[in-house]
Amino acid sequence: YQKAAVAEVMRQSNIEASASPVEKDRLSDLSQPGAFEVQREAMSFRIDRPHTKDIVSVPYDLNFELYEPQGRSTPAPLIIITQGFGATPDTYGYIAQQLASYGYAVASIEHRGTNLAKRLESPNTELTSWITPSEFISRPLDVTHLLDKLESLASNPAWTNRLNLDRVGVFGYSFGGYSALAIAGAEINFPRLEEECSQEELNPVVSFTFQCQAKYLAPHSGKIKDPRVKAVFSVYPLTNPIFGKEGMSQIDIPTAIIAGSKDNVSPPVQNQIHPWLWLKTPDKYLALISPAGHLTTVKPEDRGIEGIPQVEETPPTDPKGEIAANYLSSLSVAFFNRHLQGLEEYQPYLTADYAKSISQENLNIYLTQSLKPEQLATAYG
């Protein structure tokens, strides 16, 4: 079924490319750096969040890398990067650098409960002991508390006119992809978790085992949405069963989901293709990189993730990860320019025909906006 579904995404993308061609000779190469010089600074804020009925908290230091464009005459829109499990703030540093060069301020968060240091504390333990259930709440809340802190600094002369907090986007990868979608409005689906995670047969998929930890959360509404976030770009997210159809359908802001055809950690059908179909927001994009695994868009020097299975993760045609990185750089710049800043001239970059034009032999990218569930059923037979 996964082979049939992936093939149908490709077919639909080719249909859209033929039906709606764009004038590609008028489009610039968004994989190249933008016009702004970028300054990078390691920062930390003390977060003293209050207890709520859903979660008990203690003060902690929230560390992040801030990338800022130099020489802007107006405050910069803000994009927050929420990294994957076992990652560092540098894991998608190239995306932070690229977006900042196009005029965005980018804050790449280090989630203390699931960062590389935390993972290395217990390298040989069972998968289920790598995270505590509270991480499904605390990771999205890191984004919310960072926004709260930045808002509180509005009157501080050191922060005057630096950030435009009316235009906030989130880029998330893997576990961070889950966090981004939760912030966008996807709700934790406790009935689905209880049903799916109580099956006697073992599901060997890493993302499934991860998500099932959420069933042990203390009583919680499942709602973590932050209305200040206006658009999300989610790469290889973990979505099913933790959200399911009921949870994903709550998202009402522009959303891009990226899938890898050979992702064995967060398989594309369960975690990206079906969940994308469940979105009801009119501004939604599904991009598929093939053949790509869970780490294909992470440059080799930044793959600090320990203990994650790596099967066919580096296509022979892209050993340095440069092609995949260019795809992600181009699409993320176009997506946020269009849906965070409202720049309509970037809509042609978010089309199947543009994706086809930048696609490289043996590591292709496909984009669709109109795939239907019936097509997958027909493709599978």
Side-chain angles (χ1 to χ4, degrees), residues 46-239:
R46 187 68 172 172
I47 304 297
D48 189 8
R49 62 192 186 195
H51 300 318
T52 70
K53 63 181 181 63
D54 292 330
I55 192 168
V56 175
S57 178
V58 295
Y60 68 100
D61 292 323
L62 180 61
N63 302 322
F64 61 99
E65 297 277 349
L66 183 64
Y67 297 72
E68 284 191 277
Q70 301 301 292
R72 275 192 66 109
S73 59
T74 58
L78 175 66
I79 295 174
I80 295 175
I81 295 181
T82 168
Q83 301 282 3
F85 170 81
T88 71
D90 297 330
T91 302
Y92 273 94
Y94 74 89
I95 291 292
Q97 180 74 26
Q98 183 74 357
L99 290 169
S101 77
Y102 278 84
Y104 293 94
V106 184
S108 181
I109 292 177
E110 181 172 25
H111 299 287
R112 64 193 181 105
T114 51
N115 61 7
L116 178 59
K118 185 71 173 180
R119 171 69 189 99
L120 294 178
E121 288 178 2
S122 51
N124 300 312
T125 57
E126 292 289 333
L127 178 64
T128 53
S129 68
W130 286 359
I131 59 170
T132 58
S134 63
E135 291 301 320
F136 290 93
I137 306 298
S138 63
R139 278 176 138 264
L141 283 181
D142 279 345
V143 175
T144 289
H145 292 307
L146 178 57
L147 287 174
D148 289 345
K149 186 68 176 181
L150 292 172
E151 282 187 345
S152 72
L153 294 171
S155 59
N156 186 319
W159 287 88
T160 300
N161 294 326
R162 287 173 67 175
L163 305 177
N164 182 352
L165 297 181
D166 291 326
R167 292 182 174 176
V168 177
V170 174
F171 175 105
Y173 162 70
S174 189
F175 202 3
Y178 152 82
S179 304
L181 295 173
I183 294 161
E187 297 178 7
I188 297 176
N189 192 330
F190 288 103
R192 190 180 183 99
L193 283 170
E194 187 63 34
E195 178 182 357
E196 295 290 328
C197 298
S198 297
Q199 297 177 0
E200 294 182 2
E201 294 185 9
L202 172 67
N203 187 320
V205 177
V206 172
S207 63
F208 183 89
T209 305
F210 252 70
Q211 292 173 71
C212 283
Q213 292 299 98
K215 67 177 286 189
Y216 301 109
L217 274 169
H220 190 278
S221 66
K223 299 179 180 180
I224 319 170
K225 180 177 182 178
D226 193 315
R228 292 170 292 190
V229 173
K230 301 301 192 297
V232 291
F233 192 98
S234 185
V235 183
Y236 311 149
L238 285 57
T239 65

Side-chain angles (χ1 to χ4, degrees), residues 355-366:
K356 185 175 182 179
S357 74
I358 64 173
S359 193
Q360 300 290 307
E361 186 177 1
N362 298 323
L363 185 63
N364 297 281
I365 183 166
Y366 303 86

